[in-house]
């Protein structure tokens, strides 16, 4: 699973028909270090994605705290499809957002089901929380077979739960969600991802293809130029975020106390820059470690800082009634990436106990909806104000935190620039996640079987700064 892909590898587990199907994908990737630029703006390729990718993948449809009580529902839209996700007495369910009479959308956004259920605004048909059609005006004018329950009840959509979210899939034959997630699920389970709750939720429309928007967060190679405030700290002390070109350990010229202070400065800048990836309550605890007595060895000083920070944050959280996991144990037993990707469009960004989160959805071939959450594990029993919808902000607004604002500045001009060249060139080390997930998209567009795609997805969900990997085809 961690083997670097050999471009000349012949022993692929595909038959002749599958190979031919892959070769028939428009603008397919034939060299894992070169990504055809037309994949980011070609309308025909965008239509292939609409038909073959989004119809078969597990997609994060909503956070469960959006629909906390039976009767609460929300709407998830992906291109021309719309899904109602509803909390019922029997659990979370999902339905196509269309009246079975003549197709009118039943819901336009988050709300709570009234006593009449979903009521079609066109002809008044009604549907309850289980999707059953409970009222048809003038039943006698229809043929009996037209009104059979299977004909008129809301059409169900597969839904599974993980990490405090509801995921939907339009493909009834797709492997289960956790089978597609792979080891990333265990890494996030260990960090109590299911207990995370929203601090805030913002969204923006980017003049950028959805894949390009994701790729800005799949590698750390850009940190030097795009995020100099972070690079200065990571480069000076070789901190665990972003690559060091020389690959050296902690700078030997640094005193151990400087290593500690640089580490705290980095976490503080990261917390401010993401407004939540390192929570303010965590930074308050970590700041108190500046006066710690570090060991004489700089490398050990860095290890001691992070170990002490994890332990102190967990202890403080537990004292405040937060059901915090053992952060140090989770780090040791389930090493994580500061950016964890769940194919095709969902990110969790852990660092200490809190996380940031991203979801990206295509709108057109060259625009997308980008959403950001700040997530924290709250004290048990705490009553919280939960956003029902994202606060929409222009992508170039200074209301966004520093780090995504810097990334957003690059993306529109990158989208324009790609029209002027044939390929993007990908570093085999560090930018490999871009190649890995793009080749998995080709597998979906080629119609490969679900098990092959699920195994590929497990590899693709390998985390930030991945190398180019063998995804199985």
């Amino acid at each position: 699973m961690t083997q670097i892909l050999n471009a000349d590898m012949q022993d692929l587990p595909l038959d002749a028909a599958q190979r031919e199907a892959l070769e028939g994908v428009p603008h397919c990737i034939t060299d894992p270090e070169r990504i055809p630029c037309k994949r980011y703006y070609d309308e025909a390729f965008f239509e292939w994605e609409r038909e073959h990718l989004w119809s078969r993948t597990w997609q994060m449809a909503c956070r469960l705290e959006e629909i906390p009580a039976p009767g609460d529902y929300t709407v998830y839209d992906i291109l021309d499809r719309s899904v109602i996700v509803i909390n019922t007495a029997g659990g979370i369910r999902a339905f196509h957002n269309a009246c079975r009479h003549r197709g009118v959308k039943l819901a336009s956004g988050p709300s709570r089901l009234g006593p009449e259920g979903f009521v079609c605004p066109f002809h008044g048909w009604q549907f309850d929380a289980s999707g059953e059609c409970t009222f048809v005006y003038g039943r006698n004018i229809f043929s009996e077979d037209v009104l059979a329950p299977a004909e008129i009840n809301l059409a169900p959509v597969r839904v599974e739960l993980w990490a405090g979210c509801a995921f939907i899939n339009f493909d009834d034959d797709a492997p289960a969600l956790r089978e597609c997630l792979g080891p990333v699920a265990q890494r996030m389970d260990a960090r109590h991802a299911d207990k995370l709750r929203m601090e805030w939720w913002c969204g923006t429309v980017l003049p950028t293809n959805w894949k390009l928007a994701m790729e800005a967060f799949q590698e750390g190679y850009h940190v030097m130029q795009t995020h100099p405030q972070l690079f200065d700290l990571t480069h000076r002390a070789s901190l665990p975020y972003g690559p060091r070109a020389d690959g050296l350990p902690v700078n030997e010229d640094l005193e151990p106390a400087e290593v500690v202070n640089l580490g705290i400065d980095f976490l503080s800048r990261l917390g401010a820059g993401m407004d939540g990836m390192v929570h303010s309550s965590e930074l308050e605890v970590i700041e108190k470690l500046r006066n710690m007595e570090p060991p004489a060895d700089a490398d050990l000083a860095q290890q001691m800082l992070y170990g002490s920070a994890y332990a102190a944050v967990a202890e403080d959280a537990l004292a405040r009634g937060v059901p915090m996991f053992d952060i140090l144990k989770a780090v040791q037993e389930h090493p994580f990436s500061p950016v964890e990707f769940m194919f095709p469009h969902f990110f969790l960004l852990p660092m200490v106990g809190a996380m940031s989160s991203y979801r990206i959805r295509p709108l057109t071939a060259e625009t997308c909806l980008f959403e950001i959450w700040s997530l924290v594990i709250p004290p048990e029993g705490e009553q919280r104000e939960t956003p029902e919808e994202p606060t929409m902000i222009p992508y170039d607004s200074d209301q966004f935190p520093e780090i995504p604002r810097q990334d957003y500045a690059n993306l529109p001009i990158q989208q324009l620039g790609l029209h002027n060249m044939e390929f993007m060139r990908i570093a085999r080390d560090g930018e490999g996640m871009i190649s890995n997930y793009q080749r998995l998209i080709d597998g979906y567009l080629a119609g490969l079987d679900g098990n092959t795609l699920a195994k590929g997805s497990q590899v693709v969900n390998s985390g930030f700064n991945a190398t180019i990997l063998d995804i199985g085809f």
Side-chain angles (χ1 to χ4, degrees):
M1 186 175 291
T2 57
Q3 178 182 353
I4 294 178
L5 178 69
N6 179 348
D8 299 322
M9 184 169 52
Q10 300 297 316
D11 188 24
L12 294 175
L14 301 178
D15 59 29
Q18 291 172 314
R19 291 174 189 257
E20 184 178 356
L22 274 171
E23 292 169 0
V25 171
H27 315 304
C28 67
I29 297 172
T30 57
D31 178 347
E33 296 181 42
R34 289 174 173 80
I35 310 299
C37 293
K38 285 188 176 181
R39 296 169 71 92
Y40 299 94
Y41 60 83
D42 182 73
E43 291 287 348
F45 190 83
F46 183 73
E47 290 304 314
W48 274 61
E49 291 178 333
R50 181 198 303 269
E51 182 177 355
H52 300 291
L53 174 69
W54 297 104
S55 62
R56 298 183 64 194
T57 54
W58 286 105
Q59 302 163 48
M60 196 284 260
C62 73
R63 294 197 55 80
L64 296 181
E65 61 205 286
E66 297 175 51
I67 48 173
D72 293 339
Y73 66 85
T74 192
V75 173
Y76 172 74
D77 293 321
I78 179 69
L79 297 172
D80 55 355
R81 295 177 184 248
S82 184
V83 177
I84 297 169
V85 185
I86 183 168
N87 187 335
T88 77
I92 305 299
R93 301 193 65 178
F95 303 99
H96 289 276
N97 187 9
C99 175
R100 297 299 297 279
H101 176 208
R102 285 169 59 184
V104 174
K105 288 181 70 172
L106 297 171
S108 58
S111 189
R112 182 167 179 78
L113 204 62
E116 294 181 333
F118 296 105
V119 180
C120 177
F122 197 4
H123 298 94
W125 286 28
Q126 298 177 14
F127 305 84
D128 66 16
S130 66
E132 181 180 349
C133 183
T134 57
F135 175 75
V136 175
Y137 174 66
R139 293 182 69 97
N140 59 301
I141 69 174
F142 291 88
S143 297
E144 191 171 327
D145 61 326
V146 171
L147 298 183
E151 293 282 329
I152 64 173
N153 291 343
L154 295 183
V157 176
R158 285 183 70 185
V159 61
E160 295 188 19
L161 310 182
W162 176 72
C165 303
F167 289 74
I168 61 96
N169 195 323
F170 298 108
D171 183 2
D172 291 337
D173 297 321
L177 171 63
R178 290 190 73 99
E179 185 176 344
C180 295
L181 289 171
V184 70
Q186 287 77 41
R187 295 198 294 273
M188 297 299 96
D189 288 346
R191 305 182 72 83
H192 287 192
D194 61 319
K195 298 183 184 300
L196 292 165
R197 298 293 181 266
M198 288 186 253
E199 288 269 284
W200 52 260
W201 177 14
C202 292
T204 194
V205 174
L206 286 171
T208 305
N209 181 271
W210 69 279
K211 298 183 296 298
L212 210 61
M214 297 203 311
E215 291 167 10
F217 304 92
Q218 292 183 336
E219 45 82 10
Y221 183 56
H222 70 286
V223 171
M224 181 273 293
Q225 182 66 28
T226 303
H227 309 301
Q229 77 281 9
L230 292 181
F231 181 78
D232 177 61
L233 296 167
T234 60
H235 188 72
R236 286 165 62 194
S238 189
L239 296 162
Y241 188 92
R244 265 180 63 109
D246 52 24
L248 295 175
V250 173
N251 190 332
E252 295 179 357
D253 294 331
L254 290 175
E255 294 294 328
E258 291 180 273
V259 173
V260 169
N261 285 327
L262 280 172
I264 295 173
D265 290 344
F266 166 73
L267 292 172
S268 178
R269 196 62 188 261
L270 185 62
M274 287 299 301
D275 191 16
M277 188 173 175
V278 186
H279 193 260
S280 58
S281 64
E282 298 172 341
L283 290 172
E284 185 176 346
V285 174
I286 293 169
E287 277 290 338
K288 297 175 183 178
L289 299 176
R290 287 192 186 273
N291 298 321
M292 65 185 293
E293 286 291 334
D297 181 86
D299 285 303
L300 291 178
Q302 185 182 101
Q303 295 174 30
M304 182 176 177
L305 166 64
Y306 277 86
S308 299
Y310 296 147
V313 168
E315 181 180 0
D316 173 76
L318 291 170
R320 292 186 290 109
V322 175
M324 183 60 69
F325 58 98
D326 186 328
I327 303 174
L328 182 57
K329 181 180 179 182
V331 169
Q332 292 171 336
E333 296 182 358
H334 301 276
F336 70 99
S337 164
V339 182
E340 295 282 7
F341 173 58
M342 281 62 68
F343 184 85
H345 72 154
F346 184 51
F347 292 82
L348 288 170
L349 288 73
M351 182 54 68
V352 186
M355 298 192 200
S356 294
S357 183
Y358 303 150
R359 177 175 65 180
I360 298 92
R361 283 181 276 176
L363 297 174
T364 69
E366 298 191 70
T367 64
C368 68
L369 173 62
F370 196 114
E371 295 163 277
I372 305 180
W373 287 266
S374 175
L375 305 172
V376 66
I377 302 176
E380 291 185 305
E382 179 183 88
Q383 298 299 313
R384 300 175 65 82
E385 290 289 331
T386 300
E388 292 186 340
E389 295 182 287
T391 299
M392 297 299 294
I393 305 172
Y395 74 89
D396 55 357
S397 170
D398 60 8
Q399 294 181 60
F400 276 109
E402 178 183 46
I403 293 173
R405 189 168 70 245
Q406 290 169 324
D407 289 302
Y408 291 167
N410 290 331
L411 292 171
I413 56 177
Q414 185 185 16
Q415 181 70 40
L416 294 173
L418 289 180
H419 285 262
N420 298 289
M421 61 187 214
E422 186 176 4
F423 296 102
M424 290 201 308
R425 288 147 185 87
I426 301 300
R428 67 180 185 276
D429 301 322
E431 292 185 314
M433 184 186 286
I434 296 171
S435 173
N436 299 339
Y437 98 91
Q438 285 272 14
R439 287 180 287 121
L440 182 57
I441 289 176
D442 281 352
Y444 275 91
L445 303 193
L448 299 187
D449 67 277
N451 288 333
T452 297
L453 295 171
K455 290 176 183 177
S457 183
Q458 291 182 18
V459 180
V460 166
N461 297 339
S462 57
F464 186 68
N465 281 345
T467 60
I468 292 178
L469 302 173
D470 175 8
I471 66 169
F473 54 87

